[in-house]
Amino acid sequence: MTVLHDPTPQARRPGRATPSGLFRAFWRWHFYASFLVVPIFAMLAATGLIYLFRFQLEPLLHADVMRVEAPADAAAVRAPLSLQEDAVQQAYPTAEIGLVREGRDADDATAFSIVRADGSGTDVYVDPWDAEVLGTLNPDTTLSGYAVRLHGDLMSGRWGDGLIEVASCWAIVMALTGYYLVVAGRKARLRRRAKKAAGAAMRHRHALVGAVAGVGILFMVVTGLPWTGFWGEKVQQIATDRGSSMWSTDPGAVSDPASRLDESLPHSHSVQVPWGQGASEVPSSTVPTEGDPASVATVDTAVAVAEEAGLEHPLSIVMPAGDDGVYSVMGDAFHDPSDERTVHVDRYSGQIRADYGFDDYPALAKVVSQGIGLHEGRSLGLLSFWGAALFCLAVLFLCVTGPLMWWRRRPSRAGSLGAPRGRMPVRTTWWLAGGLVVLGVVLPLFGATLVAVLVLDLLVVRRVPRVRAALDTVD
C-alpha cells in the first residue's frame, strides 16, 4: 500500500485519530502480524492442497497396494469383509485390527488399520475381490499423512497446535486490517498504478486477491478453530458445564458408555471421526454369562445391520476393543455432513446398541459440522472442492507477494526492518478498543498474546534505543 503522509501537528485534533494515522497504524499491525501468520498460513495452504487431492495423489503414489484390478464380470461379488479380515490375521497373527475402511471405487483396496504387538501401527491393504493381502503403508509417512500432521499441529503436539491457533487468531487481525488498507488506500494505489510506479502492479494484485481471499481466511479460521486443542476444547467444556453439551447426548445408548468415539479409533489418517460425533459416547456389548448362548456377531453382521439401518457405503467400521466392545459403523457422509451417522452393533447379539447421527446433534454442532464440510472442500461437491483449492492458491499468492513488496521497499539503512511508522490509537478510538477486547475475550490465545506484545512494547521496545530504531517505533 502507498504510505499516506501524516498531516502537520497543527492540523491534527488532539485526542482524535486522523485517517492517515489510522492507515499507518493498521498497516503497521498488518506488517508485524505477517511475521507469524505468513509462514504458518503458507504451510496450512500447501498442506491443505495436498489434503484436498489426497484421493488422487495417494493411489498414484502407491498404486501397488491401494489399487486393484476390478473383475470385468459385472456379476462379480466382493469377498466378505470377514474373509478379508481372516487374510489380514493370517498375515499378521499377533496384530490387532482396529479399523476397516471400504474402498470408495471398484478398483480401491480395502484398508485395515492394525496395531502390532510392539504398539506400532500401519494400514494393511487387501484386494476386496479375492481377499489377497497386497501390502502395507504407514499412514504417518505418506504424503497426505505428513500433510495432515503438519496441518494439525506442526508435528509438535500441543505446542504446535497452540502456535497454529495463535496464528489463526492473528490472521483475523491481518484480514480486518487488510480490508481497511484496501479501502483507505484505493485512490493512492490507483494513482501509483496510473504512473506505472515501481511495485504498483504487484500491490494492486495483492490488494485485489486479498479482498477476495480475506473472506475465505475469516471463514477458514472460524471453521478450523473447533478442531484446535485449546479453543475447541475449552468451548466444549464451557458448554458441558452449562448442561448443554455441543454434542448433545446419544439417544440410542442402552448401556453405560465405555469411551468416546474418537478415543476408540486407532491411530490412522485413513478416516476421521465427524466433529459432531467425536465426543459421542460408545456403548458396550452385553457379554453372555456362563450358560447363555454365546452367539458371536462378525464384521459382516455389523455391515448388514448398518445397511438395514440405512447407512451409505463406503462404510468405516471401528472393531470391538475388549470383550465388551462394539462394532461402530460410520456411514459415508463425505459430500454431505447431514448424512453423518454412526451405528454401534453388539459384538455378540448383533443388535444395535446405539444409533447417533446428524439429526441428533444440537443446533451448534450442526452448524459447525456443515462449516467443517465446507472447510474441507467436500460439502458442495466440485464447487466447494475447487473453491477450496483456489483459496489455498490465493493464500500462497498473498504469502509470497507480501514479503516481496516489503523487499522492494525495504530501507537502505542498516538495522531497520522498514516497518510502517504508526501507533494504534486505542485510547482515543472506542470502537477499536472495543473490538480488541471482544476478540481477546472470544479468542483467549489472541488476548494473551496481544497483552504480551503490548507489555513487550512498553517495557523493552520503547526503552531500548536500538530495538526502537529497528522496529521504527514512534510515540
Side-chain angles (χ1 to χ4, degrees), residues 1-189:
M1 301 292 174
T2 301
V3 177
L4 299 182
H5 294 290
D6 283 333
T8 61
Q10 291 78 7
R12 293 180 180 151
R13 293 184 181 179
R16 188 173 182 179
T18 62
S20 59
L22 279 176
F23 187 92
R24 285 175 175 269
F26 275 78
W27 189 8
R28 184 176 176 85
W29 277 50
H30 193 81
F31 174 81
Y32 279 118
S34 68
F35 282 89
L36 174 63
V37 175
V38 166
I40 296 295
F41 268 64
M43 179 278 299
L44 291 176
T47 54
L49 272 176
I50 294 173
Y51 185 75
L52 275 174
F53 288 93
R54 65 194 181 282
F55 293 128
Q56 291 77 30
L57 291 172
E58 294 299 345
L60 287 176
L61 296 173
H62 308 285
D64 55 330
V65 295
M66 297 185 72
R67 290 293 193 191
V68 300
E69 186 175 346
D73 185 1
V77 179
R78 294 173 183 263
L81 284 180
S82 58
L83 188 60
Q84 300 179 52
E85 179 188 1
D86 290 341
V88 174
Q89 291 287 19
Q90 290 177 13
Y92 303 92
T94 62
E96 180 180 350
I97 299 176
L99 172 73
V100 182
R101 190 189 82 251
E102 294 181 322
R104 187 168 296 275
D105 300 318
D107 56 354
D108 287 338
T110 307
F112 289 77
S113 293
I114 67 170
V115 179
R116 300 187 182 93
D118 61 1
S120 63
T122 191
D123 287 348
V124 181
Y125 289 86
V126 180
D127 189 320
W129 302 102
D130 60 15
E132 177 187 356
V133 174
L134 302 173
T136 64
L137 280 177
N138 184 343
D140 282 342
T141 59
T142 61
L143 179 62
S144 60
Y146 281 119
V148 168
R149 292 194 291 151
L150 283 169
H151 199 89
D153 60 12
L154 302 178
M155 297 171 60
S156 303
R158 296 281 294 189
W159 285 102
D161 178 87
L163 185 59
I164 289 177
E165 186 171 344
V166 170
S168 298
C169 295
W170 281 92
I172 296 176
V173 174
M174 279 204 74
L176 296 179
T177 55
Y179 276 118
Y180 183 89
L181 298 178
V182 166
V183 175
R186 179 176 176 274
K187 292 182 178 179
R189 285 197 315 276

Side-chain angles (χ1 to χ4, degrees), residues 23 65 119 123 169 178 199 215 239 262 264 292 315-316 325 399 424 435 457 467:
F23 187 92
V65 295
D123 287 348
C169 295
V215 176
D262 57 4
S264 64
D292 290 341
L315 301 173
S316 296
C399 291
M424 194 68 78
D457 179 74
V467 177

Side-chain angles (χ1 to χ4, degrees), residues 160-471:
D161 178 87
L163 185 59
I164 289 177
E165 186 171 344
V166 170
S168 298
C169 295
W170 281 92
I172 296 176
V173 174
M174 279 204 74
L176 296 179
T177 55
Y179 276 118
Y180 183 89
L181 298 178
V182 166
V183 175
R186 179 176 176 274
K187 292 182 178 179
R189 285 197 315 276
L190 291 177
R191 285 197 302 268
R192 287 180 57 83
R193 194 181 179 201
K195 296 177 180 179
K196 297 183 180 180
M202 181 181 294
R203 188 166 297 178
H204 175 76
R205 295 189 189 102
H206 183 88
L208 186 63
V209 173
V212 177
V215 176
I217 289 174
L218 293 173
F219 175 80
M220 287 295 186
V221 166
V222 171
T223 55
L225 282 174
W227 287 113
T228 57
F230 182 83
W231 190 89
E233 182 179 322
K234 294 302 179 184
V235 170
Q236 165 59 10
Q237 290 176 358
I238 292 172
T240 302
D241 290 342
R242 294 182 178 179
S244 59
S245 170
M246 278 187 178
W247 289 277
S248 187
T249 57
D250 189 338
V254 293
S255 62
D256 294 332
S259 65
R260 293 166 33 144
L261 181 57
D262 57 4
E263 295 172 343
S264 64
L265 194 69
H267 181 63
S268 173
H269 302 296
S270 302
V271 68
Q272 179 174 277
V273 174
W275 183 89
Q277 298 183 25
S280 63
E281 298 171 342
V282 176
S284 57
S285 293
T286 302
V287 181
T289 58
E290 188 175 350
D292 290 341
S295 60
V296 179
T298 67
V299 65
D300 296 328
T301 307
V303 169
V305 171
E307 288 176 337
E308 186 176 351
L311 269 66
E312 297 291 333
H313 289 271
L315 301 173
S316 296
I317 306 103
V318 181
M319 303 295 277
D323 292 338
D324 62 349
V326 294
Y327 292 99
S328 298
V329 188
M330 292 178 280
D332 180 47
F334 184 81
H335 295 296
D336 187 357
S338 64
D339 290 334
E340 291 174 1
R341 189 175 165 205
T342 299
V343 171
H344 302 284
V345 180
D346 192 296
R347 69 174 302 175
Y348 299 102
S349 67
Q351 300 297 312
I352 293 179
R353 303 294 292 174
D355 185 345
Y356 187 58
F358 186 88
D359 292 340
D360 303 309
Y361 295 175
L364 181 56
K366 289 181 178 180
V367 172
V368 173
S369 293
Q370 292 289 358
I372 289 173
L374 291 171
H375 182 104
E376 296 180 342
R378 55 184 177 85
S379 287
L380 300 176
L382 291 178
L383 179 63
S384 59
F385 177 87
W386 287 111
L390 289 174
F391 168 75
C392 290
L393 293 174
V395 170
L396 289 172
F397 176 83
L398 295 174
C399 291
V400 171
T401 55
L404 280 178
M405 288 190 298
W406 167 81
W407 182 259
R408 286 185 172 183
R409 68 170 182 81
R410 72 192 188 282
S412 57
R413 67 184 187 278
S416 173
L417 287 176
R421 295 176 62 82
R423 189 175 186 181
M424 194 68 78
V426 177
R427 295 180 181 177
T428 58
T429 313
W430 66 268
W431 55 267
L432 186 57
L436 290 175
V437 170
V438 170
L439 275 178
V441 172
V442 175
L443 303 171
L445 285 187
F446 168 75
T449 53
L450 175 62
V451 170
V453 168
L454 294 177
V455 170
L456 183 66
D457 179 74
L458 180 65
L459 299 182
V460 179
V461 174
R462 297 185 178 278
R463 298 190 179 190
V464 180
R466 182 169 295 182
V467 177
R468 181 186 179 95
L471 300 182

